[in-house]
Amino acid sequence: MATETLTLGKALNTGLRRALENDPKVVIMGEDVGKLGGVFRITDGLQKDFGDQRVIDTPLAESGIIGTAVGLAIRGFRPVCEIQFDGFVYPAYDQIVSQVAKMHYRSQGKVTIPMVIRIPYGGGIGAVEHHSESPEAYFSHTAGLKVVTCANPQDAYVMIQQAIASDDPIVFLEPKRRYWEKGPVELDAPLSGAYPLHSARVVRPGTAATVLAYGPMVRTCIEAATAAAEDGRELEVVDLRTLSPLDLTAVYESVRRTGRCVVVHEAPGNLGLGSEIAARITEECFYSLESPVLRVTGYDTPYPASRVEEEYLPDLDRVLDAVDRSFGW
Amino acid sequence: MAKGDPAVSSRGRRAAPRSRRTAATGEPELVQLLTPTGERIESAVGPDGTEYRVDFTDEEYRGLYRDLVLVRKLDAEATALQRQGELGLWASLLGQEAAQVGSGRALRSQDMAFPTYREHGVLYCRGIDPIMPLGLFRGVDQGGWDPNEFKFNMYTIVIGAQTLHATGYAMGVHMDGRTGTEDGEAVIAYFGDGATSQGDVNESFVWASVFNVPLVFFCQNNQYAISEPLERQTRVPLYRRAGGFGFPGVRVDGNDVLASYAVTRHALDNARLGQGPSLIEAYTYRMGAHTTSDDPTRYRIASEVEAWQAKDPIARMKAFLDKQQIADADFFASVDEQARAESVHLRERVLELPDPAPVSMFDHVYPHGSPEVDAQRAQFSRYLESFEGSAH
């Protein structure tokens, strides 16, 4: 099998290319996705090779990108929309939650909206306001949408193709600060044989405590686990991969094994994914728990100016501190 | 266009409010083929010089009249059902029959329509059972027809959202190579005057224009967005917005079924031939409430309603048929009887619409299902079963 070392961004690009090749109904649309290849170059070279009817530079209007994609989907296309940055998705929020999410339900199954909404999300790149947000809870709260995120190049390559092939409307969150990180990608891996889209994965086995993370925080948590191992504490790191629906089976299995759990995400803690996960674990695994489920999250502030974002974002020390608290109970 | 229009006026600022009102809501220049008294106009010229005319057989004229009467009667029945508590809400089309039947009959079978929640007349023209929207307003479903089978999409309640769907669908038609020929496909998007203030409608204008899609924007300007009059939405006649976006706009007498048909057919044909989008402003009036929830006597005066009453779309068609001896008293009586019978039948069927099974709320959330929803369905089913045999 052909295995290449790719950045996460290039893996996405390669996955998109594969999807365009495999299905003539797949179209990519968004601002600057054509000649420029997207501001992060995730669609680099695709318009050149597939033409401007497959890779469509749109007017600058996010609601329009999503709303017209709904119409294309009704027509039988499989649109892949790029929202340029997390903080710019809100003008399209109505179309996503009121239309994309509900069309299938409203039509009693007669209409499907097989579209993917790609959003580079999260902080850590020193960006200005509106360019570092984590809107996953808004979308995870909306029935009818599925929300997934990748954390490494292999998943990026496979998951984007799985998302495009799925008839579910999917919000595909791309951890933008991990775009440039490299890893091995098995290019010939069949999608059906790969890890299913809607499943969590243990990325580092351990026995002392479970650390749940997704997207950009997975790497942070692996680093924390490496540091903890040096102190003789083996942490199990679980990459959730899918945020809606949550793969709770995998979560419960891990927590029952370790008896302790720390949930880590960049988004503010209040009503974030961590709140839901902690509640569910408490309901289902109460007698297996040695201590309360703890959360390490962004603070309940607007995303701060980039000079202080390192303080805002959960890091290795905050994760390890939470693990310590879990053991101090 | 009206001489006092502020967009072209060189008048001072003090004169602006008066001319603004005239421009937006005053007596418009519009395409008309049938006067309110039933006089037939041979042809009418639009703002870009397009000449509109129709040539129907007597049977077709009678058919249009039958459509108008039927959709009005069915609509009245739905209003009555709401008043009797059988529907949660109803959005009446009373007064807008000609705009809907005219445009609806101009559609060809291959054309796709994207309605709001008031297009019961267009729905009827698409061959959909008129009971379908009543399920939505009764609360037993959210619209039960198959959009692809009937080429008529689900009702859209969020104002203007469907114009973007129509635009995207029309992009797809173009990308599928289904434009540029006589038998090409066209798309029509319905919306109201209030919707023209929405971002989505303006975004769809931009999109449709720059991608040159086969789309007809059909705005039924019924003068009010719930209680807000037209001058709260615009300072210029709505059809003239099109010019700023780069495609033609025309205002048609929306109470004239012949002109509504002619203008829409022309716009659809242009679209299917690859000549891009256009905007039709059907100048009409909502005779009833926005929905059964509001009280129009709070926000509009009786004389205005009476003035529009004199422009009634059915009365003028009837006068025309009568004068031209296209239809006789027996015909009119038979149409009335058909409408009465169909509305009685509709009433009977609405009362028999079964409530959905409670567990059906979990159906069709996701095409590929979801373990979360499946688990909740199972839990809910067990909960329901726990009541069996009890006196809850």
Side-chain angles (χ1 to χ4, degrees), chain B residues 86-88 133-142 355-356:
Chain B
E86 299 295 343
L87 301 179
L134 278 74
L136 169 69
F137 288 100
R138 188 172 167 87
V140 303
D141 60 40
Q142 294 172 329
D355 285 348

Side-chain angles (χ1 to χ4, degrees), chain A residues 25 27 29 53 56-65 67-72 74-75 77 94-95 98-99 101 103-112 142-146 165-169 244-246 248 280, chain B residues 112 114 140-148 151 153-156 158 160-162 164-169 171-176 178 185 200 203 206-207 210-211 360-372:
Chain A
K25 286 297 185 185
V27 292
M29 52 199 293
Q53 295 222 354
I56 305 167
D57 270 325
T58 67
L60 205 161
E62 285 77 12
S63 189
I65 294 170
T68 55
V70 168
L72 279 162
I74 293 173
R75 177 73 191 181
F77 287 82
D94 168 59
Q95 282 287 344
S98 299
Q99 307 299 331
M103 281 276 179
H104 189 70
Y105 194 69
R106 187 180 293 149
S107 69
Q108 282 135 310
K110 296 183 183 80
V111 171
T112 52
T142 301
L145 298 175
K146 290 189 174 175
S166 170
D167 285 339
D168 293 316
S244 181
L246 286 162
L248 289 165
R280 300 295 283 267
Chain B
M112 181 63 122
F114 286 81
V140 303
D141 60 40
Q142 294 172 329
W145 61 92
D146 185 338
N148 291 310
K151 294 276 185 180
N153 268 268
M154 291 169 285
Y155 279 5
T156 304
V158 175
Q162 76 284 359
L164 281 170
H165 308 163
T167 306
Y169 189 93
M171 288 169 73
V173 170
H174 183 63
M175 286 152 62
D176 282 340
R178 292 289 295 126
E185 294 181 42
D200 276 3
E203 290 183 25
V206 172
W207 240 267
V210 301
F211 290 109
S360 72
M361 76 171 95
F362 297 99
D363 295 344
H364 306 302
V365 181
Y366 298 93
H368 291 322
S370 157
E372 290 290 280

Side-chain angles (χ1 to χ4, degrees), chain A residues 269-281:
Chain A
N270 184 40
L271 298 172
L273 264 291
S275 311
E276 176 66 19
I277 292 167
R280 300 295 283 267
I281 291 172

Side-chain angles (χ1 to χ4, degrees), chain A residues 89-155:
Chain A
V89 73
Y90 306 118
Y93 190 70
D94 168 59
Q95 282 287 344
I96 296 173
V97 303
S98 299
Q99 307 299 331
V100 174
K102 291 179 178 157
M103 281 276 179
H104 189 70
Y105 194 69
R106 187 180 293 149
S107 69
Q108 282 135 310
K110 296 183 183 80
V111 171
T112 52
I113 305 294
M115 74 188 255
V116 177
I117 301 165
R118 294 179 40 238
I119 310 174
Y121 86 114
I125 64 164
V128 297
E129 195 185 9
H130 310 299
H131 290 69
S132 304
E133 304 196 1
S134 299
E136 61 266 29
Y138 301 128
F139 300 114
S140 298
H141 193 67
T142 301
L145 298 175
K146 290 189 174 175
V147 184
V148 303
T149 178
C150 52
N152 61 62
Q154 179 70 61
D155 268 357

Side-chain angles (χ1 to χ4, degrees), chain A residues 302-318:
Chain A
Y303 195 87
S306 60
R307 293 286 180 150
V308 291
E309 70 178 344
E310 292 305 323
E311 305 302 321
Y312 172 91
L313 293 166
D315 61 7
L316 184 146
D317 288 335
R318 280 172 65 192

Side-chain angles (χ1 to χ4, degrees), chain B residues 89-385:
Chain B
L89 186 77
W90 182 248
S92 169
L93 62 62
L94 183 62
Q96 299 176 223
E97 297 88 349
Q100 294 196 15
V101 169
S103 61
R105 286 296 180 212
L107 294 166
R108 293 195 191 168
S109 60
Q110 71 268 29
D111 297 339
M112 181 63 122
F114 286 81
T116 72
Y117 44 79
R118 200 189 296 283
E119 268 67 75
H120 322 307
V122 184
L123 175 138
Y124 186 87
C125 292
R126 295 310 269 167
I128 298 173
D129 185 338
I131 200 169
M132 285 300 181
L134 278 74
L136 169 69
F137 288 100
R138 188 172 167 87
V140 303
D141 60 40
Q142 294 172 329
W145 61 92
D146 185 338
N148 291 310
E149 179 185 354
F150 292 99
K151 294 276 185 180
F152 183 82
N153 268 268
M154 291 169 285
Y155 279 5
T156 304
I157 292 176
V158 175
I159 302 300
Q162 76 284 359
T163 59
L164 281 170
H165 308 163
T167 306
Y169 189 93
M171 288 169 73
V173 170
H174 183 63
M175 286 152 62
D176 282 340
R178 292 289 295 126
T179 53
T181 59
E182 296 283 344
D183 65 346
E185 294 181 42
V187 184
I188 189 165
Y190 288 90
F191 54 101
D193 40 299
T196 62
S197 298
Q198 287 279 357
D200 276 3
V201 173
N202 287 275
E203 290 183 25
S204 67
F205 286 171
V206 172
W207 240 267
S209 177
V210 301
F211 290 109
N212 202 42
V213 302
L215 176 60
V216 176
F217 292 105
F218 194 90
C219 174
Q220 287 168 85
N221 175 1
N222 67 11
Q223 313 298 329
Y224 287 88
I226 305 188
S227 70
E228 295 196 2
L230 187 60
E231 56 259 38
R232 271 287 180 233
Q233 315 297 338
T234 186
R235 287 177 63 172
V236 298
L238 292 176
Y239 78 94
R240 292 183 54 198
R241 296 250 181 114
F245 290 94
F247 50 85
V250 58
R251 182 181 260 178
V252 64
D253 183 342
N255 285 17
D256 172 355
V257 69
L258 304 183
S260 294
Y261 178 95
V263 167
T264 310
R265 174 51 72 95
H266 180 81
L268 287 167
D269 283 345
N270 275 350
R272 81 180 79 252
L273 285 168
Q275 291 169 24
S278 57
L279 169 65
I280 296 170
E281 177 191 1
Y283 203 77
T284 183
Y285 195 75
R286 155 163 64 74
M287 297 303 294
H290 163 70
T291 70
T292 43
S293 291
D294 66 308
D295 172 10
T297 64
R298 281 178 174 239
Y299 55 78
R300 57 190 199 191
I301 55 175
S303 61
E304 180 184 286
V305 181
E306 284 161 17
W308 278 94
Q309 190 77 52
K311 302 177 191 174
D312 184 73
I314 297 183
R316 79 172 71 174
M317 193 63 182
K318 188 173 188 179
F320 163 68
L321 295 179
D322 209 22
K323 279 181 204 169
Q324 298 295 313
Q325 298 184 319
I326 293 170
D328 58 15
D330 284 351
F331 169 77
F332 292 124
S334 76
V335 171
D336 287 346
E337 173 52 27
Q338 183 187 351
R340 191 198 65 79
E342 287 200 19
S343 67
V344 167
H345 186 48
L346 182 71
R347 157 174 296 266
E348 289 167 354
R349 291 195 298 150
V350 167
L351 300 182
E352 287 166 6
L353 277 179
D355 285 348
V359 76
S360 72
M361 76 171 95
F362 297 99
D363 295 344
H364 306 302
V365 181
Y366 298 93
H368 291 322
S370 157
E372 290 290 280
V373 176
D374 292 346
Q376 286 180 22
R377 182 207 314 268
Q379 187 183 33
F380 177 74
S381 295
R382 285 194 299 274
Y383 176 72
L384 284 186
E385 284 162 12

